[in-house]
Amino acid sequence: MIQRIQTVYLLIAGLVIFGLFLFPYVNYSDLVGLGKNVKVTGVYGVAAGQSVHEGGFGYILQTVATVLLGGLPIFTIFKFKKRKVQLLLIWVEIVAIILFAIWLYSSASTHLATVSQFLGAGNIGVGFFLLPISIIFCALAMGGVRKDEKLIRSADRLRA
């Protein structure tokens, strides 16, 4: 049953999470007035015409968490024979995405506090919007798995 619609939903959810590598979750201007972007891989900016990347251990952890969160829906696709396990993995994915969003929010707030700014509507990047989109696709996939489970149960009742 790998050709079901929940496969597409889970694949899109994984790809959307991998989009955090491309899109920043915070944009801001530092104390000098230079624009900077905060991604899960670090802080990116331009200084003296050169691209500058600032990283740290926290960003390494965010990168690893993003890879794991993006890989889990793709791993879940291949559990198509065990629908109960698929449902459990999708629930774990949704909870993990929510916890990851809280972590990104606190990380962004802490980082902006170091440059005397606050997280607001003007600072939020595209990356923050990717997480709710992936939750929506996980929920759609969950609905597809439940629909398959219901179809299998009704077919079993007809055979009995």
Side-chain angles (χ1 to χ4, degrees):
M1 295 240 217
I2 201 164
Q3 71 273 14
R4 303 295 293 171
I5 190 68
Q6 63 262 24
T7 302
V8 175
Y9 292 147
L10 288 169
L11 183 64
I12 291 172
L15 292 176
V16 166
I17 291 174
F18 283 130
L20 286 171
F21 288 113
L22 298 175
F23 301 107
Y25 61 90
V26 172
N27 303 311
Y28 70 96
S29 296
D30 63 359
L31 298 174
V32 183
L34 298 174
K36 294 201 176 195
N37 297 325
V38 181
K39 297 182 183 179
V40 292
T41 54
V43 180
Y44 294 87
V46 177
Q50 297 290 328
S51 179
V52 178
H53 173 255
E54 302 168 24
F57 184 69
Y59 294 113
I60 293 171
L61 290 176
Q62 285 181 0
T63 302
V64 170
T66 304
V67 169
L68 291 175
L69 281 176
L72 186 59
I74 296 169
F75 173 75
T76 305
I77 292 171
F78 297 105
K79 294 293 183 182
F80 60 91
K81 290 184 180 179
K82 300 176 182 174
R83 284 172 295 283
K84 300 277 187 198
V85 173
Q86 258 189 334
L87 287 172
L88 177 68
L89 288 174
I90 293 171
W91 270 113
V92 167
E93 176 75 12
I94 290 172
V95 170
I97 290 171
I98 292 169
L99 293 174
F100 187 64
I102 293 168
W103 182 21
L104 289 182
Y105 176 80
S106 67
S107 172
S109 296
T110 304
H111 184 77
L112 287 175
T114 61
V115 291
S116 302
Q117 293 186 18
F118 298 102
L119 188 61
N123 294 3
I124 294 176
V126 175
F128 264 130
F129 299 109
L130 294 178
L131 296 174
I133 291 170
S134 64
I135 289 174
I136 290 169
F137 279 110
C138 285
L140 289 171
M142 186 177 294
V145 172
R146 285 185 178 151
K147 192 174 176 183
D148 278 355
E149 186 67 28
K150 188 176 175 182
L151 180 68
I152 297 293
R153 276 190 259 137
S154 69
D156 286 345
R157 268 185 267 138
L158 290 174
R159 280 189 222 130

